[in-house]
Amino acid sequence: MEKLSVQVLPGAQLALAPLIDPVYIVDTQFNLLWVNGAFRQAFGYRPRHRLPCHTVTKMGICGAESCLLRAACSQGTQTKFVETDVGGALESDASCSAIGLPIYDNDGQNVIAAIGVLRDMSVEVRLHKKYAVMLEAERNRKELLEKMVAERTADLVATNDRLALTNRDLDRSRKEVADILANIRQAIFTIDDKQRIGREYSAFAEELFGQSALAGRDFVEFIAAQPERERDRKELAEWLKLVFHSPTLDWNAAKGMVQSEYQYLRTDGERRELLADFEAIREEDNRVKRVMVIISDLTEKRNLERHLSKKQQEIDENIEHLSELAKLDPEMYELFFEEAFEIIEGATKALAEIKSQTDPGQSINKMFRDMHTLKGNAMSYGLVRVAAKAHWVEDAFSDLRESVSELSEATIRDTTEKVDELRDLFVRIQSMASRVLSGKKPPDTGAVRSADRPLKHEIEQERLSELIEWIDRAHQTVGAEKMLDELRLRVRGLVLVPMSRLYRRFPKMVNDLAEQLGKNVNPVELEGADLALTGKVFNELAGAAVHLLRNCIDHGIETPDRRLAANKASHGTVRVLSAFDAESFRIVISDDGAGIDPQVLVRKAKEKGILPADAAPSREEALKILFESGFSTAEQVTDVSGRGVGMDAVRDTVESLGGSVSIETELGQGTRFVMTVPRAVALGE
């Protein structure tokens, strides 16, 4: 910048005079050389005045300005004075800025004076102070914010650490829960108020139900899907509605209102037995938010319980069987088992071939009659439990007979399984019998006995010895031909079965059956116990005789009150007579009961469709109706009668031996059944 010389002062004064800011010119001794009007107005000083020390100080000339002036004088540069407070002549403290310009001599070497300009900076100073305050406040606020941020950051770090720890705990907990859900042997899940299964459930649930993707399924429709379970579905849905909308409901009481055990049928056809437990998951207001369902598979447990129960039942039955067997004569039980296994094996064979038979109805009727005979024989021996099992199989044959027109594999299989179960029972009883009854070995049941095979029984050692002695004597005294004839007769006597073996069964059978039916019967009267028949004939007629004797007790003998009302003794009488004549052998079974009304037989036969409605049979023809298959006068089916089987079996048995059966009856007096077979057949001649 060009230096100012003294020559410019006059022009400068003219130029600076109008300025509103105070302007002054001083020499190097701070003597005022010139001031403008604004300076005089502000400070009251005129030229040729030396500024007092206090004024110079307040104006800042004595301090900053003088230093700068001296610097300017020595350096010859323009100087800007610092801001300073101005007081003294001013009414109040003010702030101003001073600018000094050095004035040089004509040579431009030495500073001889200076021009100073004071500018009022009050507003700027106030703004500056305000700004400074604001800046300080901002700085304080910033520091506070930084402190708060630091503290908050520290809190966040601590919180993040805690969250990280919590997340690790949650992850660990989730894994533990996931491990539990993956390995627990229960189906665990939750359901909402719309009965839907939640997203999370145990892995076993899919295994148990045999289905995947259970989430979102309707629990009620799922657990009781079978059409016949409509009532279960309705009750469960009503219960869920109740628990979800009743915040005051006592949960323990509510749990007692819902079904806990369910039969679940899987899609693969496997049936499961389930136990369901329900627990409430509540909101803060105590309303049920979700219901947790815990389902246990009881299938194996129930199967085990049933198995144990069956075993216990078998033990109980064995005890009963032992009690019954202990009362039997060894010869009697041997005969019974021989007949029973023949019937069972025959039924098994017939069932295996029934689908290929042209007339399965005939085969089914025979099985039905044979099983009825087996049941009657068991009852005659006092084997009540065996009779009950035979009655159960008889029911199966009855169902088979009703569906003969459309036999299914399932029905045949079910019936065969029941026959097999009956066989297993006999095998078990047979094993016990071999130990109970004098250690005797039971009859061989490995194959079906042929129809003409003689009944196995023990030949008494004494009688065999007598026969040997007779042969020795006869060989010395008689001719060979006559000896052989006599030997044939004696040997035949050894293989014949005495009627006493059958008769021994009757007293207990009659007494037990009468007691079961609430009737009083005198001890059965028996004649002809010493007579004997071939094993085959004996077996056949023994079953028929049992049928007839049971029929006399069931249908013939009246109850005590009816007998007394008819002027009879309260105890009825039954008789069994066996006898030979020149041409035949007969068994007569009679009672002194109510007799048979032929008109009742005709009416019943018409009701059952056995006779046409306009039929008018004779008395003899009417009595023959008793031998029709399916005919019975009993009002209801029991384990004794009512099936319409028995009399036709008797007829068929006797006729198969070449004989006949007849009925003699008188109302109010009683009935006689007469079975007659040729003598030669009875003796095997």
Side-chain angles (χ1 to χ4, degrees):
M1 180 179 179
E2 187 179 350
K3 297 181 179 180
L4 297 177
S5 64
V6 71
Q7 286 89 353
V8 301
L9 284 177
Q13 293 173 0
L14 291 174
L16 297 173
L19 294 178
I20 61 173
D21 293 323
V23 181
Y24 61 91
I25 298 175
V26 295
D27 60 17
T28 57
Q29 300 300 317
F30 297 108
N31 294 315
L32 289 173
L33 301 179
W34 177 85
V35 294
N36 68 352
F39 188 92
R40 284 195 299 272
Q41 183 178 356
F43 301 103
Y45 292 97
R46 297 178 178 277
R48 293 185 297 278
H49 286 174
R50 178 180 174 83
L51 291 177
C53 183
H54 68 277
T55 302
V56 174
T57 301
K58 289 187 176 181
M59 292 176 61
I61 296 174
C62 184
E65 186 174 341
S66 62
C67 291
L68 292 172
L69 182 58
R70 282 194 292 271
C73 292
S74 62
Q75 299 174 6
T77 58
Q78 181 179 354
T79 303
K80 179 178 180 181
F81 296 101
V82 297
E83 299 174 3
T84 181
D85 292 335
V86 179
L90 298 177
E91 292 296 331
S92 61
D93 291 342
S95 296
C96 66
S97 63
I99 301 176
L101 297 175
I103 299 174
Y104 295 87
D105 59 12
N106 290 331
D107 295 332
Q109 297 296 322
N110 300 309
V111 177
I112 60 173
I115 298 174
V117 181
L118 298 176
R119 188 173 181 182
D120 187 359
M121 298 293 293
S122 301
V123 175
E124 288 82 348
V125 169
R126 285 195 297 274
L127 290 175
H128 177 74
K129 289 182 177 180
K130 184 176 181 180
Y131 174 75
V133 172
M134 293 174 62
L135 188 62
E136 181 66 19
E138 182 65 21
R139 187 162 42 250
N140 293 337
R141 190 174 71 84
K142 181 180 178 182
E143 291 176 355
L144 179 60
L145 287 175
E146 289 176 349
K147 182 179 180 182
M148 292 176 62
V149 168
E151 292 176 351
R152 183 59 176 163
T153 301
D155 290 342
L156 288 175
V157 170
T159 300
N160 285 337
D161 291 342
R162 289 194 297 272
L163 286 176
L165 181 61
T166 301
N167 286 335
R168 286 195 295 271
D169 290 341
L170 287 175
D171 290 341
R172 189 161 47 249
S173 297
R174 289 192 190 97
K175 187 177 185 307
E176 290 176 356
V177 172
D179 289 342
I180 292 174
L181 291 178
N183 294 282
I184 192 169
R185 301 301 291 174
Q186 290 177 308
I188 301 178
F189 50 85
T190 62
I191 53 177
D192 59 18
D193 58 351
K194 293 182 175 57
Q195 306 172 180
R196 296 173 302 193
I197 298 176
R199 291 181 300 175
E200 300 293 335
Y201 51 83
S202 62
F204 182 69
E206 294 187 354
E207 178 184 340
L208 176 62
F209 297 121
Q211 300 186 44
S212 59
L214 303 180
R217 300 280 296 273
D218 187 307
F219 171 68
V220 174
E221 295 294 332
F222 180 76
I223 197 69
Q226 300 94 315
E228 66 273 14
R229 303 282 302 282
E230 181 178 357
R231 179 176 179 182
D232 292 342
R233 290 194 296 273
K234 183 177 180 181
E235 291 180 353
L236 183 55
E238 290 295 328
W239 181 80
L240 287 173
K241 182 178 179 181
L242 175 67
V243 299
F244 272 112
H245 297 89
S246 301
T248 59
L249 183 68
D250 180 80
W251 183 254
N252 291 328
K255 287 175 64 175
M257 299 164 58
V258 67
Q259 180 180 343
S260 59
E261 294 197 18
Y262 296 87
Q263 292 279 343
Y264 179 77
L265 182 63
R266 290 162 43 118
T267 55
D268 59 4
E270 184 180 355
R271 189 174 297 277
R272 294 280 182 168
E273 298 184 49
L274 309 177
L275 175 65
D277 187 23
F278 301 89
E279 295 296 338
I281 302 175
R282 298 183 180 274
E283 299 275 14
E284 292 182 359
D285 61 359
N286 205 40
R287 288 185 177 275
V288 176
K289 177 182 179 182
R290 301 184 73 84
V291 172
M292 181 169 65
V293 185
I294 306 168
I295 297 181
S296 303
D297 186 3
L298 299 182
T299 307
E300 293 184 3
K301 179 181 178 182
R302 291 289 184 262
N303 288 340
L304 179 59
E305 289 175 350
R306 282 190 286 269
H307 176 73
L308 293 176
S309 177
K310 184 178 180 180
K311 287 296 182 183
Q312 183 61 49
Q313 183 179 358
E314 289 180 358
I315 292 173
D316 294 340
E317 289 178 352
N318 288 343
I319 294 174
E320 293 291 337
H321 294 322
L322 288 171
S323 175
E324 294 168 352
L325 289 170
K327 303 173 184 177
L328 292 181
D329 187 306
E331 294 182 357
M332 295 171 62
Y333 100 84
E334 189 172 324
L335 173 63
F336 172 66
F337 274 106
E338 187 79 18
E339 294 174 326
F341 278 109
E342 181 177 352
I343 290 173
I344 292 172
E345 295 301 335
T348 301
K349 182 178 179 181
L351 286 170
E353 300 172 350
I354 196 167
K355 292 287 286 186
S356 60
Q357 293 177 354
T358 56
D359 186 11
Q362 182 177 356
S363 179
I364 293 173
N365 285 333
K366 184 178 186 308
M367 288 187 287
F368 188 70
R369 292 193 301 269
D370 289 346
M371 193 55 59
H372 190 77
T373 298
L374 176 57
K375 180 182 72 173
N377 289 344
M379 288 297 294
S380 71
Y381 283 116
L383 301 176
V384 179
R385 292 184 176 273
V386 174
K389 182 67 74 172
H391 184 76
W392 177 64
V393 177
E394 187 182 21
D395 285 337
F397 285 142
S398 177
D399 295 339
L400 201 65
R401 188 167 62 170
E402 292 176 1
S403 60
V404 66
S405 60
E406 45 184 17
L407 292 174
S408 67
E409 293 290 345
T411 303
I412 295 174
R413 183 172 59 253
D414 180 65
T415 307
T416 303
E417 289 175 355
K418 290 180 178 179
V419 173
D420 290 343
E421 190 171 332
L422 180 62
R423 180 194 294 105
D424 293 341
L425 174 62
F426 268 94
V427 169
R428 191 168 74 249
I429 296 175
Q430 181 191 53
S431 176
M432 290 187 293
S434 66
R435 296 190 299 269
V436 173
L437 302 176
S438 303
K440 243 179 211 184
K441 181 179 179 181
D444 179 22
T445 59
V448 179
R449 180 172 59 86
S450 62
D452 59 351
R453 192 175 77 196
L455 177 69
K456 291 183 292 183
H457 64 282
E458 182 179 3
I459 300 177
E460 297 178 5
Q461 184 67 35
E462 184 178 354
R463 296 181 65 190
L464 184 59
S465 298
E466 292 176 356
L467 178 60
I468 294 173
E469 292 177 1
W470 180 87
I471 292 174
D472 291 339
R473 290 195 304 271
H475 181 69
Q476 300 172 1
T477 59
V478 299
E481 184 176 349
K482 185 176 181 180
M483 183 186 72
L484 289 175
D485 290 339
E486 184 68 20
L487 178 62
R488 186 180 298 110
L489 291 175
R490 288 180 176 267
V491 171
R492 183 180 296 117
L494 291 178
V495 298
L496 296 179
V497 182
M499 290 298 293
S500 60
R501 182 176 291 190
L502 172 63
Y503 283 3
R504 286 198 293 266
R505 297 161 56 181
F506 288 163
K508 184 178 187 308
M509 183 191 81
V510 170
N511 183 67
D512 290 346
L513 184 57
E515 183 178 350
Q516 179 183 350
L517 298 173
K519 298 179 179 182
N520 295 333
V521 179
N522 294 315
V524 59
E525 298 179 8
L526 303 169
E527 295 182 32
D530 56 335
L531 302 179
L533 310 173
T534 64
K536 179 180 184 301
V537 175
F538 180 89
N539 287 346
E540 299 290 352
L541 292 183
V546 168
H547 276 302
L548 294 177
L549 189 56
R550 288 170 62 84
N551 189 284
C552 288
I553 305 300
D554 186 19
H555 297 286
I557 301 298
E558 311 95 320
T559 58
D561 55 342
R562 288 189 177 183
R563 291 184 65 85
L564 293 174
N567 294 319
K568 291 183 176 182
S570 61
H571 286 63
T573 300
V574 291
R575 298 180 178 87
V576 180
L577 167 68
S578 298
F580 276 104
D581 58 26
E583 300 295 333
S584 64
F585 170 78
R586 69 181 182 278
I587 298 177
V588 181
I589 300 175
S590 62
D591 66 70
D592 66 346
I596 301 173
D597 187 346
Q599 296 305 315
V600 173
L601 299 181
V602 172
R603 177 171 55 81
K604 288 280 187 180
K606 291 180 178 180
E607 290 175 357
K608 294 178 178 293
I610 296 175
L611 289 179
D614 58 351
S618 64
R619 174 184 173 83
E620 183 179 356
E621 292 172 335
L623 290 176
K624 289 182 179 180
I625 295 174
L626 282 174
F627 298 109
E628 291 294 329
S629 178
F631 180 80
S632 175
T633 58
E635 296 297 331
Q636 59 184 2
V637 175
T638 68
D639 59 350
V640 178
S641 62
R643 294 193 181 278
V645 64
M647 295 301 291
D648 60 331
V650 169
R651 179 199 59 196
D652 293 345
T653 297
V654 175
E655 289 181 353
S656 70
L657 297 173
S660 63
V661 58
S662 62
I663 304 174
E664 301 171 7
T665 185
E666 185 177 350
L667 282 176
Q669 300 302 313
T671 302
R672 294 176 73 246
F673 295 97
V674 181
M675 294 186 293
T676 303
V677 296
R679 177 188 179 94
V681 173
L683 295 176
E685 295 177 345

